[in-house]
Amino acid sequence: NAGVMQNPRHLVRRRGQEARLRCSPMKGHSHVYWYRQLPEEGLKFMVYLQKENIIDESGMPKERFSAEFPKEGPSILRIQQVVRGDSAAYFCASSPGQADSGANVLTFGAGSRLTVL
Amino acid sequence: QKEVEQNSGPLSVPEGAIASLNCTYSDRVSQSFFWYRQYSGKSPELIMSIYSNGDKEDGRFTAQLNKASQYVSLLIRDSQPSDSATYLCAVSDSSASKIIFGSGTRLSIRP
């Protein structure tokens, strides 16, 4: 049971480049969440997705950020034209999403740490 | 008003004592409540989930929920140095879609 897999673990980009972060949920989980964490701060909700469907993207910046969870393959968080303020740890979490009490218990991946030079 | 509020700490507790962590939330119809632990440089890991008023115990950990007061707490009995971490309170919103986290409380257990 591999758990939630995120890659890359560390990513360095120069200002203006694109960053793509990938997340494969736990086996049997159909829901994916993305969070951003700045040093010494809490987790900020960004987006919640099911396969081929964005459920809630209220935490996503209006520009440069997008997320998808295709029918096949991992969920991808894409940041275009990165700026220094995008430097953070980006955590993906997955949940079963079934209609029971454990539906929204999150299991986190190890995170992807983005550094923008 | 923040949706989920925690005292940032640090909270310093002697080894063997009880550590008490508190959290308040603003959405009165929130349904699910969680405590996660995060070690420095690591990802959050679930400690407890609680869905109904009252206490829920799991080993040295007890979660307490009071929906009328919009308050959830975590008690850690017989605190160990390995309990030193940041504890994150998380709450589902009224639509039960997104999970909102507080900013965390840093706990330090002193030997």
Side-chain angles (χ1 to χ4, degrees):
Chain A
N1 188 2
V4 179
M5 303 301 293
Q6 288 190 249
N7 68 82
R9 293 289 309 277
H10 299 276
L11 182 63
V12 178
R13 285 288 179 265
R14 296 189 180 279
R15 283 178 296 171
Q17 292 184 319
E18 178 179 287
R20 285 195 181 210
L21 310 178
R22 297 173 186 78
C23 171
S24 295
M26 276 187 70
K27 187 176 181 180
H29 284 191
S30 58
H31 293 220
V32 165
Y33 298 73
W34 285 94
Y35 290 86
R36 177 164 61 180
Q37 188 173 41
L38 295 172
E40 305 302 321
E41 292 190 11
L43 293 164
K44 300 296 185 188
F45 170 80
M46 298 182 75
V47 62
Y48 166 38
L49 311 103
Q50 290 177 292
K51 288 277 188 184
E52 300 183 284
N53 192 19
I54 296 175
I55 306 300
D56 187 327
E57 57 180 349
S58 58
M60 290 279 274
K62 293 289 188 286
E63 298 178 350
R64 304 188 297 110
F65 285 73
S66 62
E68 64 176 0
F69 190 12
K71 185 177 180 180
E72 301 290 337
S75 174
I76 295 174
L77 180 66
R78 181 184 180 200
I79 311 172
Q80 296 178 288
Q81 299 175 339
V82 296
V83 300
R84 288 210 174 118
D86 297 332
S87 296
Y90 292 84
F91 287 98
C92 170
S94 70
S95 70
Q98 303 299 318
D100 58 31
S101 62
N104 52 8
V105 173
L106 301 182
T107 301
F108 281 85
S112 293
R113 281 151 182 84
L114 172 66
T115 300
V116 180
L117 301 178
Chain B
Q1 182 188 6
K2 289 184 181 178
E3 294 176 86
V4 181
E5 292 209 49
Q6 297 181 252
N7 188 323
S8 63
L11 175 65
S12 181
V13 173
E15 185 175 356
I18 295 175
S20 178
L21 304 162
N22 304 314
C23 172
T24 58
Y25 59 94
S26 60
D27 189 344
R28 185 167 291 277
V29 298
S30 293
Q31 299 175 27
S32 306
F33 307 86
F34 310 91
W35 283 100
Y36 285 81
R37 177 175 63 197
Q38 186 176 26
Y39 293 112
S40 181
K42 302 296 185 182
S43 59
E45 52 184 344
L46 180 72
I47 297 176
M48 298 277 284
S49 59
I50 186 167
Y51 303 96
S52 55
N53 279 329
D55 294 0
K56 179 181 178 183
E57 185 175 321
D58 184 0
R60 295 187 297 112
F61 299 95
T62 299
Q64 300 173 317
L65 175 61
N66 183 328
K67 290 187 178 181
S69 300
Q70 295 175 238
Y71 175 91
V72 59
S73 65
L74 179 70
L75 299 178
I76 306 174
R77 290 181 298 282
D78 189 23
S79 297
Q80 303 296 310
S82 60
D83 295 327
S84 297
T86 296
Y87 289 80
L88 301 166
C89 173
V91 176
S92 70
D93 73 343
S94 53
S95 66
S97 61
K98 62 188 182 187
I99 311 294
I100 304 298
F101 283 78
S103 57
T105 298
R106 281 192 295 135
L107 175 65
S108 175
I109 307 300
R110 56 181 189 271

